[in-house]
Amino acid sequence: MSYDNHLDWRILNEEAKRYHWTPDQCFWKKPQDLDLEVILRQDALAGKTGISLQSLVGLLGINRELPFHQAQNDVTYMARVLQYYAHNINEEII
């Protein structure tokens, strides 16, 4: 799960080349990726221009105490966005 996958994959692939990793070490090439930004653009934004992770977090009212554009923090924010949607889905189902 990522937000704006093309950059993540490019950086991972550059690292793999630099360190001469074998295909077995490139775990990210095996699973199917899920780009939250693409899903939101298609679903919630009706195909309009995407929204940054920082803007989305603010729009949803999620606490923004961590700096953005740092891998671990961005993963934390993605988890919070997914929890937000999962909670709302459960609320509607029950």
Side-chain angles (χ1 to χ4, degrees), residues 9 22-33:
W9 294 147
T22 65
D24 289 340
Q25 292 173 295
C26 300
F27 62 88
W28 61 90
K29 293 186 178 186
K30 295 174 187 159
Q32 180 182 1
D33 65 317

Side-chain angles (χ1 to χ4, degrees), residues 1-9 12 27-36 38-39:
M1 176 66 70
S2 180
Y3 198 91
D4 197 16
N5 285 343
H6 75 281
L7 178 61
D8 296 335
W9 294 147
L12 281 170
F27 62 88
W28 61 90
K29 293 186 178 186
K30 295 174 187 159
Q32 180 182 1
D33 65 317
L34 201 62
D35 190 329
L36 186 56
V38 170
I39 293 168

Side-chain angles (χ1 to χ4, degrees), residues 43-74:
D43 209 27
L45 303 174
K48 296 178 184 165
T49 304
I51 184 171
S52 71
L53 181 59
Q54 186 171 356
S55 296
L56 177 63
V57 166
L59 183 67
L60 298 178
I62 296 170
N63 190 2
R64 298 189 294 181
E65 78 281 2
L66 302 170
F68 284 87
H69 308 296
Q70 294 179 7
Q72 184 64 33
N73 296 344
D74 286 355

